[in-house]
Amino acid sequence: MNSARALLGLRFGLSAASAALLLVGASLNGSGRVGWSTALAAVAGVLALGAGVVYRNWQVSAPVAAVAAIFTVLIAQLNPRQGDLVVQLVGLALLGCAGAVGGVTVRNFVDTIERQKKDLQLKHRSFLAATSDIEDGRPADVATLTSNIARQLGADFACCYFASGDPGQFVPQPPGVGLDGLHLMSVGRRQSGTGPLLAAVESGQTYAAEGNGALKELFNFMPEDMRLRAAMAVPMPIGDRIGGFILLGKHTAGFSDDDRRLATTLTLRAGAQLASAHAVAISQKESARYSLMNELVKEASGKTMQEALDLVLERGKEIIKYDAGRAVLFQSEDGEAEALDESLTRVRRGETVLRNAVTEQQPTFSGLRLATHAVTVNEALTPIRGKTGVIGALCLGRRGTSSFTQHDVGALDELGSMAGVAIENSRILQVVTGQASRLDTALDALGEVSQALTTVTQGARVLEHKTLETAVRVTAGTAGLLTRTTEAGQQAVIMSLGFPDAVDGTEFQNGQGLVGAVMLSLRPTAVPDFDASPDLQTPPDLHAYGLQAAICTPMLEDGRLWGTLSVFDGKKREWTTDDQRVLATLGNQGVVAVRNAELYEKNERSIWELRSLQEALQAATSTLDLNQVLQQVLAGAAKASSAQIGCLALEDGGRLVLKGGFGTDHATAERLALGIGGEICRRVMESDEAVMESMEHHSATDSPLNPRAVLCVPITLRGKPLGVVFLANYQVDHGFTSDHRNLVTELAAQAAVAIDNARLFKDREEVILASLEALANAVDARDPYTAGHSERVTQYALMIARQMHYSPTEQAAWVRLERGGRLHDIGKIGVPDAILQKAGKLTEAEFEKMKSHTVVGFNILSGLRMLTDELVIVRSHHERFDGKGYPDRKKGDELPMFAWVVSAADAIDAMTSDRPYRRGMPLQAAVEQVRAGAGTHFHPDVAEAVLDAVASGALKLIPQTSMHPDAPKIGAFENPTA
């Protein structure tokens, strides 16, 4: 205050001195002046005064002062009698001094006013920033608070740090302002070697520094292009502790004291807003928690204990966050408490146990597992309280670094209380409705099994499983066994529940374990505790499977033991008479259901076998083609026996010859039947009896291609073996049965007649075809000029067909094509020798007679049913692609491809053979005729095949002796008529 007054007095003193100097200087400057010289003296005085005002700028003040002095001297020279020049110059000097003193005084006043104005503006801005509401964000929006503080202070970057829940760290809250290129990381609190920034924050003081080094505590790396002028960290108190701080920075300017005060005000206000919002959230959370408790109690009403616990665990995540949870119920005082883990023992005493960062050596109770569900597992175990005290524990788990703290204990206790209320309600409901529910379950189960008595189509295996599953479910057991009497009179496990697969197939003899005891007594036997009856505990080793009690009842069929039905429990248990009665009823009804299903399956199998036999015989007798008959017999045998591979071999000249294979190629079938199974086939042929064997495999020597089961059946007709059917399976447990053997034997016996008939038909067919071919050759021989024509046409047709890849899979089609080529001119038997052997051109009438050989040949052969494609070739080998041929003027796709192939072959031989009336063409000339006739005379595809075959050398002229080498050359297709 005193300094301010002294400064004010000095300012007034300077002002008075300036005024006095101005007055004295003006008086001296104007002394002795009159008239016009007074005005000129005033001008000089003003210049001197101005030079004094700007004295700090000597480049301006010196010239101005010199001008004033010179001006005064000039006035004195012009009027030397007006005053003393020295006095006037002293006056100018005093005016200059007055200007200098006055200028200093005015500038001081102006600076003070400007400074006070800026202070007022800054205080006004601080007031507005501290009292105005935050725009565009909720009060507790950290990002908005941070950006608002940065904007008010003109900071280039800003970030808010909050204390973690430990609270051992300050954690940055992205996104912040202007933090591009910076890697935010959490900062430990109260660590050894804490720097000045964190030390100031922890002490509640604002930290301010300059340069990039100011932030080395917060950032391990600062980008090179980031130049920090000033930084400031302002602590944020929340309640009675430091809840975090605001980090601010500028690139080009520093922070003033007012900036620091404003930052402190804004940060305090932000902390207050966050604390207020947190308090509101807690209030809302508490209200929601109480509402949830009421809803849970209502929803759990009427539910079973497990359903109620599942509901509590599901809805409990609305009270406290956790990733997994389980409920553990403590039994009554029966010694089990000693087996509890230490943590559960503490819970049973009423403590809430927090287990953070559980190690691999420690057990987990929430269902989370280390390395499976999370790297770190944290658990909270809270007691479930009932009327009688702690009845269980809720075990909740969190993954990762989110641990449970003392702040969660209140919510955990509430959740445990809610679980206790739900369990007590469920226990009351269970006591009231337990007997009724069990009775309903038993009645439903008995109804299911009773319905199965008439639903035999489900299969015996399904009914066995349903019987065992129902028994375990009705008696609330843990596991079950279903056994059946074997041929040796023992009991073998055919179905199990709750046991490992190794138990299946276990056999019991009289007196062995619980099942052996029932085999002797034929009465239900119940064991409440195996520890009290160790002689009934094995086999199997029930103690190893964690089973403590069991009940077993016999399953009788017509007074004989069909099997046994056993139910086991994992804890000691007193079995009631209701348990025994329900189990006995299930066992007896199960026997009837399974036996009915087995009879149904057997009948279905018989029907299927008869149908398969009928279908195979029908297929075998539907054709007289020997190959088709053999294939149908083999396919029927393989299908009837479910064989993977089948072979059929017939006796030919004292040895077996493979005639067909099923499921594989010819070579593999031959190796299987005549190689691997050769000895078996010879034995069957000699003994006339079927052989069925399972092949033993030795992995060190046997090939995986050797079968595991074989069935070889003879094909016999009138006591004479014709051949064998050899069947094989390669899969384990897929052997042949006696039913398969009987069915295939019957099929072979019935098929022998069809095979013999097909053989006879084939022999008859071969005789007829041989006769026809001899007749065709005789027709060619009638005309010495056409001798060998049919054979050459056949060979040309085969050459063309091979070029076209004709019927690559059906060998019979090639046989029909070859046969059709040899028989194509058989109709010439109806043409007189005079016409066939005429040396000159034919008349029109003779040519018409010659053309009739196609129809005559067709009529001769049409009565032979074994001929199909051959008839088309005989009738249509003179047709043209454009429909101008004979006899039916067919064209294009009206004829099959083999007819066009023979037509082209016939034309090639006709063009290249000599006749008395014309000379044969060279092959290339004939090929050009074929090229020219493509699409008119010849089928385009066939013509192209002819050209390709000739070009590749696949089609060559068949040599023949020319009888008329001097015959004239005429057109290739010219009608040789007179």
Side-chain angles (χ1 to χ4, degrees):
M1 180 64 72
N2 292 331
S3 61
R5 288 180 178 178
L7 182 61
L8 182 61
L10 177 61
R11 288 172 182 167
F12 279 114
L14 289 175
S15 299
S18 176
L21 289 173
L22 178 63
L23 181 60
V24 173
S27 299
L28 293 176
N29 183 46
S31 62
R33 306 288 187 181
V34 291
W36 59 270
S37 61
T38 302
L40 293 176
V43 172
V46 171
L47 290 174
L49 183 65
V53 171
V54 296
Y55 77 93
R56 289 187 298 181
N57 190 353
W58 59 270
Q59 292 93 340
V60 176
S61 62
V64 172
V67 170
I70 292 171
F71 199 64
T72 301
V73 171
L74 289 176
I75 294 173
Q77 292 296 328
L78 294 175
N79 191 1
R81 291 179 294 179
Q82 290 191 9
D84 188 353
L85 177 61
V86 175
V87 174
Q88 293 172 352
L89 290 175
V90 171
L92 285 177
L94 293 175
L95 286 174
C97 291
V101 174
V104 170
T105 303
V106 171
R107 280 192 294 271
N108 187 270
F109 272 110
V110 171
D111 289 343
T112 301
I113 293 171
E114 288 293 333
R115 186 167 54 255
Q116 291 179 349
K117 177 182 178 182
K118 289 181 180 180
D119 289 343
L120 288 175
Q121 289 176 344
L122 182 59
K123 288 180 173 58
H124 180 66
R125 186 186 67 178
S126 301
F127 174 77
L128 292 178
T131 57
S132 62
D133 292 331
I134 298 177
E135 298 177 357
D136 300 330
R138 300 183 301 275
D141 188 345
V142 177
T144 304
L145 289 173
T146 304
S147 62
N148 180 63
I149 293 174
R151 178 172 55 84
Q152 295 290 349
L153 293 171
D156 297 312
F157 75 87
C159 182
C160 180
Y161 284 76
F162 280 163
S164 61
D166 312 12
Q169 292 182 321
F170 285 121
V171 181
Q173 308 296 313
V177 176
L179 298 177
D180 298 338
L182 291 176
H183 177 64
L184 300 176
M185 62 180 185
S186 299
V187 183
R189 303 179 63 180
R190 292 184 292 273
Q191 297 178 348
S192 60
T194 299
L197 187 151
L198 293 179
V201 170
E202 292 287 1
S203 63
Q205 302 296 319
T206 298
Y207 170 80
E210 295 183 354
N212 289 2
L215 303 182
K216 63 182 181 180
E217 297 177 59
L218 304 181
F219 303 103
N220 290 330
F221 171 76
M222 296 283 287
E224 294 182 359
D225 58 349
M226 185 174 186
R227 296 290 183 267
L228 187 66
R229 173 67 180 276
M232 178 169 53
V234 185
M236 180 185 293
I238 298 180
D240 57 353
R241 60 187 178 87
I242 300 298
F245 63 90
I246 295 289
L247 178 65
L248 302 165
K250 287 185 178 183
H251 296 314
T252 58
F255 291 105
S256 64
D257 293 338
D258 292 325
D259 290 332
R260 296 187 184 94
R261 288 192 292 273
L262 177 58
T264 301
T265 302
L266 294 175
T267 303
L268 289 173
R269 184 182 181 208
Q273 290 175 330
L274 291 174
S276 175
H278 181 65
V280 172
I282 291 177
S283 176
Q284 292 175 344
K285 187 175 181 180
E286 291 293 331
S287 177
R289 184 179 300 170
Y290 288 119
S291 298
L292 178 61
M293 289 180 60
N294 293 331
E295 293 176 8
L296 264 179
V297 172
K298 292 179 181 179
E299 292 182 18
S301 299
K303 294 185 180 295
T304 64
M305 187 180 302
Q306 187 59 47
E307 290 173 342
L309 288 173
D310 291 342
L311 179 62
V312 170
L313 289 172
E314 179 183 356
R315 297 293 302 275
K317 294 180 179 179
E318 301 176 29
I319 296 178
I320 184 172
K321 177 186 175 183
Y322 53 89
D323 298 310
R326 285 183 179 176
V328 176
L329 296 181
F330 304 138
Q331 301 293 332
S332 58
E333 298 295 336
D334 55 3
E336 188 176 347
E338 298 176 1
L340 292 178
D341 181 83
E342 178 186 358
S343 300
L344 292 178
T345 303
R346 292 172 56 191
V347 175
R348 189 165 192 173
R349 292 198 296 263
E351 297 181 40
T352 296
V353 179
L354 305 182
R355 308 172 69 236
N356 292 321
V358 179
T359 64
E360 294 185 0
Q361 290 75 25
Q362 295 175 312
T364 56
F365 305 99
S366 62
L368 293 179
R369 291 289 184 271
L370 285 170
T372 300
H373 300 101
V375 177
T376 304
V377 171
N378 307 298
E379 288 190 335
L381 313 180
T382 188
I384 301 175
R385 304 182 188 276
K387 294 181 179 179
T388 59
V390 178
I391 59 177
L394 280 182
C395 308
L396 310 180
R398 288 177 178 173
R399 301 184 184 96
T401 58
S402 180
S403 58
F404 290 95
T405 65
Q406 291 298 325
H407 298 292
D408 299 321
V409 172
L412 291 170
D413 289 341
E414 291 178 6
L415 192 59
S417 300
M418 293 162 55
V421 173
I423 290 175
E424 290 295 342
N425 290 343
S426 298
R427 281 182 172 178
I428 295 174
L429 177 65
Q430 184 176 359
V431 171
V432 174
T433 62
Q435 294 297 330
S437 299
R438 189 172 180 184
L439 180 60
D440 291 340
T441 302
L443 291 175
D444 292 342
L446 291 174
E448 291 179 8
V449 177
S450 298
Q451 184 181 7
L453 290 172
T454 56
T455 314
V456 293
T457 56
Q458 292 185 1
R461 190 69 177 171
V462 174
L463 294 176
E464 290 167 355
H465 181 273
K466 179 174 290 186
T467 299
L468 181 60
E469 184 272 332
T470 303
V472 174
R473 173 161 51 91
V474 169
T475 57
T478 304
L481 287 179
L482 180 64
T483 68
R484 187 165 181 178
T485 304
T486 65
E487 294 181 359
Q490 300 177 352
Q491 292 293 312
V493 177
I494 60 174
M495 184 75 63
S496 65
L497 284 178
F499 285 95
D501 295 339
V503 173
D504 293 342
T506 302
E507 294 189 353
F508 303 86
Q509 296 183 7
N510 288 332
Q512 284 188 332
L514 178 61
V515 175
V518 173
M519 292 171 63
L520 293 174
S521 66
L522 297 183
R523 298 181 60 183
T525 302
V527 180
D529 184 4
F530 277 119
D531 292 339
S533 304
D535 54 333
L536 299 179
Q537 193 170 2
T538 183
D541 188 358
L542 301 176
H543 179 72
Y545 300 133
L547 301 175
Q548 279 294 117
I551 181 172
C552 180
T553 186
M555 302 172 70
L556 304 176
E557 180 187 20
D558 298 330
R560 298 186 303 275
L561 184 63
W562 182 90
T564 64
L565 179 61
S566 306
V567 175
F568 303 86
D569 205 319
K571 59 182 181 298
K572 300 173 185 178
R573 173 175 175 178
E574 290 293 337
W575 302 94
T576 65
T577 55
D578 290 338
D579 294 329
Q580 297 184 18
R581 187 164 52 250
V582 169
L583 206 60
T585 303
L586 281 172
N588 293 331
Q589 290 193 349
V591 171
V592 177
V594 171
R595 291 295 294 152
N596 287 345
E598 290 176 342
L599 290 174
Y600 177 80
E601 289 177 352
K602 185 175 182 180
N603 290 336
E604 284 290 302
R605 177 69 182 178
S606 299
I607 294 172
W608 179 83
E609 292 175 351
L610 291 175
R611 185 182 298 114
S612 299
L613 179 62
Q614 178 186 6
E615 291 175 355
L617 291 175
Q618 184 177 358
T621 56
S622 63
T623 178
L624 290 175
D625 184 281
L626 180 59
N627 291 329
Q628 292 185 16
V629 171
L630 296 177
Q631 197 61 38
Q632 293 292 349
V633 170
L634 181 58
K639 178 182 177 183
S641 61
S642 302
Q644 292 178 281
I645 293 180
C647 313
L648 192 149
L650 296 181
E651 189 273 338
D652 187 4
R655 66 187 185 90
L656 287 173
V657 178
L658 185 70
K659 295 296 183 180
F662 176 86
T664 186
D665 61 283
H666 185 86
T668 303
E670 187 171 30
R671 183 184 66 84
L672 175 64
L674 305 183
I676 299 175
E679 179 61 31
I680 296 176
C681 292
R682 284 189 292 273
R683 195 192 334 163
V684 170
M685 288 290 290
E686 292 172 0
S687 65
D688 195 24
E689 293 182 357
V691 172
M692 183 173 63
E693 292 185 358
S694 294
M695 313 295 285
E696 295 294 334
H697 272 230
H698 304 284
S699 58
T701 58
D702 282 1
S703 167
L705 296 179
N706 293 342
R708 292 185 176 271
V710 296
L711 173 62
C712 187
V713 176
I715 303 174
T716 305
L717 181 64
R718 292 185 290 275
K720 179 182 178 182
L722 301 179
V724 295
V725 174
F726 187 89
L727 305 171
N729 267 330
Y730 290 80
Q731 298 179 3
V732 180
D733 299 331
H734 280 70
F736 297 105
T737 65
S738 57
D739 291 337
H740 294 148
R741 179 185 58 200
N742 296 337
L743 182 60
V744 176
T745 300
E746 180 64 25
L747 174 60
Q750 298 289 337
V753 177
I755 294 173
D756 188 56
N757 290 339
R759 273 184 162 181
L760 293 175
F761 179 78
K762 183 178 182 182
D763 293 342
R764 172 177 169 271
E765 183 184 55
E766 290 176 353
V767 171
I768 293 174
L769 292 175
S771 300
L772 290 175
E773 290 180 5
L775 180 61
N777 293 333
V779 170
D780 283 351
R782 290 174 60 199
D783 183 2
Y785 307 109
T786 62
H789 167 69
S790 296
E791 180 61 27
R792 291 194 300 274
V793 169
T794 301
Q795 295 304 317
Y796 289 142
L798 293 176
M799 295 176 189
I800 298 171
R802 281 192 287 270
Q803 185 67 33
M804 299 181 69
H805 303 289
Y806 173 73
S807 189
T809 59
E810 187 183 359
Q811 184 61 33
W814 288 88
V815 174
R816 294 192 296 270
L817 176 63
E818 184 176 359
R819 193 182 295 156
R822 289 194 171 94
L823 298 178
H824 78 285
D825 273 346
I826 196 171
K828 289 183 179 179
I829 195 172
V831 179
D833 290 344
I835 298 176
L836 286 176
Q837 299 174 4
K838 185 176 180 179
K841 290 185 177 182
L842 302 178
T843 64
E844 290 291 342
E846 289 172 339
F847 187 57
E848 289 297 324
K849 185 66 175 177
M850 178 65 76
K851 290 196 304 182
S852 68
H853 78 279
T854 57
V855 177
V856 172
F858 176 81
N859 292 335
I860 292 173
L861 301 177
S862 60
L864 300 177
R865 294 184 178 180
M866 78 282 290
L867 301 180
T868 54
D869 297 355
E870 299 91 338
L871 296 177
V872 178
I873 293 173
V874 169
R875 185 180 183 92
S876 304
H877 65 277
H878 280 293
E879 297 287 358
R880 288 168 51 110
F881 189 77
D882 57 7
K884 296 180 179 180
Y886 63 89
D888 302 314
R889 302 182 69 82
K890 291 186 176 181
K891 60 182 179 180
D893 295 336
E894 295 179 6
L895 289 175
M897 188 61 67
F898 58 78
W900 296 115
V901 170
V902 176
S903 174
D906 186 52
I908 290 173
D909 187 65
M911 288 187 288
T912 58
S913 298
D914 291 344
R915 294 291 184 269
Y917 50 84
R918 63 139 174 90
R919 188 175 178 182
M921 297 180 178
L923 180 59
Q924 290 302 325
V927 169
E928 290 302 321
Q929 293 295 330
V930 173
R931 187 196 307 275
T936 56
H937 196 105
F938 304 106
H939 193 293
D941 294 342
V942 175
E944 183 178 357
V946 170
L947 299 178
D948 292 342
V950 172
S952 64
L955 192 154
K956 298 180 180 180
L957 280 183
I958 299 175
Q960 54 178 305
T961 303
S962 176
M963 299 183 64
H964 295 279
D966 298 329
K969 295 181 180 180
I970 63 174
F973 305 113
E974 186 175 334
N975 182 9
T977 57

